Amino acid sequence: MSLFDISERAQQYQSDLLEFMDSHIYPSEAVYDEQMREAGDPHFHPPILEDLKTEARKRGLWNLFHPHPEWGPGLSNLEYAPLAEIMGRSHLASEACNCSAPDTGNMEVFTLFGTDEHKERYLKPLLDGKIRSAFAMTEPAVASSDATNVEMSMLRDGDDYVLNGRKWFASNGMHRNCKVLIVMGKTDPDAAVHRQQSMMVVPIDAPGVTVRRNLSVFGYQDREGHAEIDFQDVRVPSKDVLKGEGEGFAISQARLGPGRIHHCMRAIGMAERALELLCRRAESRVTFGKPVSANANIRDWIAEARIDIEMIRLLTMKAAYLMDTVGNKAARTEIAAIKVAAPNIALKIVDRAIQVHGGGGVTDDFPLAMAWAHLRTLRLADGPDEVHKRAIASQELRKYRKATEQ
């Protein structure tokens, strides 16, 4: 049995999901586009998504990400990786299967650190796909790639905390079904640097919470939105502090590990679809008397894309395997490595697919321009490339410092 053999159960999920993509997801993309155009509202919730959710749930393709059997199929990271890749081929699939960020990370936080009340009020509706959630950590005034920089104040006042500050890029914050925020702020500026932060559960309609605007991404008004949110004297009961005061940084690390690898799995799916579109376009278009695919540079691009996809897939599978066997902390180098490699490689393949499509590639007649914008953003989301490279380098150097000290 090889290292990355997938269980029969997981293989069946792959087969079922691929069939669902062909029979429902891909045909629904044009319907989705038409419903969004007719609505004239960038944050409209199109009915086709609810139809897809109903169908996915009927087929058992629901909460596939969740590692706990009580809430989902209980797949390992290694088993889930190919499924996330398949869903990554379309912008509809993850939400249709209730596996989209940031809800996946937030559901895991509620599972691990939420109270019984949190689970009843928020986790269960999230697992049922009835509500959505947002994660509010990033701030416009500080470099949020270092989570210890967060400035939002969370001051204790009796049995409450009073929140003041501004967040932005709270993805999902404009979604019509977004009901709850998980918010990170500073409860004790005098504590040790990694004990200053806490996370709290805040209803999006709580008094003092104001969604100021949506932030466009490369000109796209993403349907779920990336909200800029003001918090002015927002009172949060102490029972809504997750895990306890000073545990915010630890929770963020627990949350972001799985989230990062999920992003990378989906990025591989995007890369696969881009390569397919590239090949089909190159075979069907003729320039100067021969198919575009006959050109040596195009064949180089196709070969390099296949090589690169296989490399990042193997690295992703290794990271998933290590997360399952030795834990997220021990797999941190591999998680950081794939978070750098997958978006960059997928971005290169999408860029070349755009080039082969010519003018059509930069329009919304094809999914490539939107994929490019998403992947370019992913080089910043959940930590920019430079932060992950810094972490990898530190791990490498630590080996030699230990050797020198001996």
Side-chain angles (χ1 to χ4, degrees):
M1 184 176 184
S2 69
L3 186 63
F4 299 140
D5 273 348
I6 304 299
S7 67
E8 288 187 15
R9 181 178 68 138
Q11 288 180 42
Q12 185 60 53
Y13 274 115
Q14 288 181 47
S15 177
D16 293 346
L17 186 56
L18 285 167
E19 198 282 324
F20 179 56
M21 296 290 288
D22 289 337
S23 63
H24 286 80
I25 294 294
Y26 298 133
S28 295
E29 289 178 343
V31 179
Y32 171 92
D33 290 342
E34 181 61 27
Q35 289 181 353
M36 291 299 295
R37 277 195 298 270
E38 287 180 354
D41 175 358
H43 307 300
F44 177 68
H45 187 66
I48 187 63
L49 268 172
E50 292 302 318
D51 295 342
L52 289 171
K53 286 162 65 176
T54 299
E55 183 65 26
R57 193 160 194 172
K58 185 172 73 174
R59 291 166 174 251
L61 300 172
W62 191 256
N63 291 339
L64 298 170
F65 75 96
H66 211 296
H68 301 278
E70 181 183 358
W71 307 113
L75 299 173
S76 67
N77 286 295
L78 187 61
E79 291 174 316
Y80 179 62
L83 305 181
E85 178 184 326
I86 293 167
M87 288 185 282
R89 298 178 189 180
S90 172
H91 60 289
L92 302 183
S94 291
E95 185 166 359
C97 297
N98 212 38
C99 292
S100 52
D103 290 329
T104 52
N106 290 344
M107 283 189 262
E108 290 191 24
V109 168
F110 281 128
T111 300
L112 293 171
F113 309 114
T115 64
D116 289 342
E117 181 183 342
H118 293 146
K119 290 175 182 176
E120 188 66 32
R121 185 176 177 185
Y122 299 118
L123 178 59
K124 286 185 179 179
L126 282 166
L127 288 163
D128 285 339
K130 294 178 180 176
I131 68 170
R132 299 295 301 271
S133 63
F135 183 60
M137 183 181 78
T138 305
E139 297 178 0
V142 297
S144 301
S145 56
D146 177 358
T148 64
N149 279 341
V150 295
E151 291 183 339
M152 168 177 274
S153 66
M154 296 175 156
L155 299 179
R156 187 71 185 247
D157 182 25
D159 289 334
D160 296 339
Y161 287 83
V162 180
L163 278 54
N164 281 284
R166 178 172 290 193
K167 299 289 185 179
W168 71 349
F169 284 101
S171 298
N172 240 17
M174 307 299 294
H175 196 290
R176 289 291 182 260
N177 296 334
C178 185
K179 302 299 182 186
V180 63
L181 310 170
I182 294 179
V183 184
M184 184 168 174
K186 193 161 288 189
T187 43
D188 186 357
D190 299 321
V193 67
H194 293 108
R195 296 285 304 171
Q196 297 177 4
Q197 306 82 19
S198 298
M199 283 196 191
M200 301 185 187
V201 179
V202 183
I204 199 168
D205 60 356
V209 175
T210 305
V211 178
R212 289 293 179 193
R213 61 172 176 146
N214 180 56
L215 298 158
S216 65
V217 176
F218 289 104
Y220 282 97
Q221 296 284 343
D222 292 340
R223 181 177 53 81
E224 70 278 7
H226 308 283
E228 183 170 354
I229 306 175
D230 271 345
F231 296 77
Q232 295 183 344
D233 296 327
V234 179
R235 300 192 75 86
V236 178
S238 58
K239 64 183 177 62
D240 287 330
V241 179
L242 288 166
K243 195 179 180 183
E245 187 173 308
E247 297 288 347
F249 188 85
I251 295 173
S252 72
Q253 296 310 297
R255 182 191 185 282
L256 291 175
R260 285 168 182 154
I261 196 168
H262 292 174
H263 278 313
C264 296
M265 295 166 184
R266 290 189 289 266
I268 296 169
M270 281 189 187
E272 280 285 11
R273 190 170 186 193
L275 177 57
E276 176 188 338
L277 290 168
L278 187 160
C279 290
R280 291 184 184 280
R281 186 78 166 185
E283 283 283 273
S284 65
R285 291 283 162 143
V286 174
T287 58
F288 307 106
K290 61 182 180 181
V292 171
S293 61
N295 292 292
N297 69 312
I298 302 300
R299 295 201 166 203
D300 278 352
W301 287 359
I302 293 168
E304 289 169 7
R306 174 50 58 204
I307 293 166
D308 286 344
I309 288 172
E310 297 303 324
M311 288 194 298
I312 58 174
R313 181 180 288 122
L314 280 171
L315 181 53
T316 302
M317 297 293 274
K318 180 189 177 186
Y321 172 79
L322 290 174
M323 291 167 72
D324 291 335
T325 54
V326 295
N328 298 352
K329 186 175 181 180
R332 61 187 179 277
T333 295
E334 286 76 13
I335 293 171
I338 196 60
K339 179 58 176 65
V340 174
N344 276 281
I345 286 173
L347 192 63
K348 180 175 72 173
I349 295 168
V350 169
D351 186 76
R352 288 176 169 179
I354 290 172
Q355 197 71 11
V356 170
H357 279 71
V362 300
T363 72
D364 287 338
D365 285 4
F366 301 92
L368 296 168
M370 184 171 64
W372 189 96
H374 175 81
L375 288 164
R376 183 60 186 84
T377 306
L378 192 54
R379 290 188 55 206
L380 295 166
D382 283 357
D385 292 356
E386 291 74 18
V387 167
H388 297 299
K389 289 178 181 178
R390 180 177 181 269
I392 295 166
S394 295
Q395 286 294 109
E396 287 297 307
L397 289 168
R398 189 170 290 124
K399 302 174 189 175
Y400 301 99
R401 289 199 189 101
K402 289 181 179 178
T404 305
E405 290 167 0
Q406 292 176 352

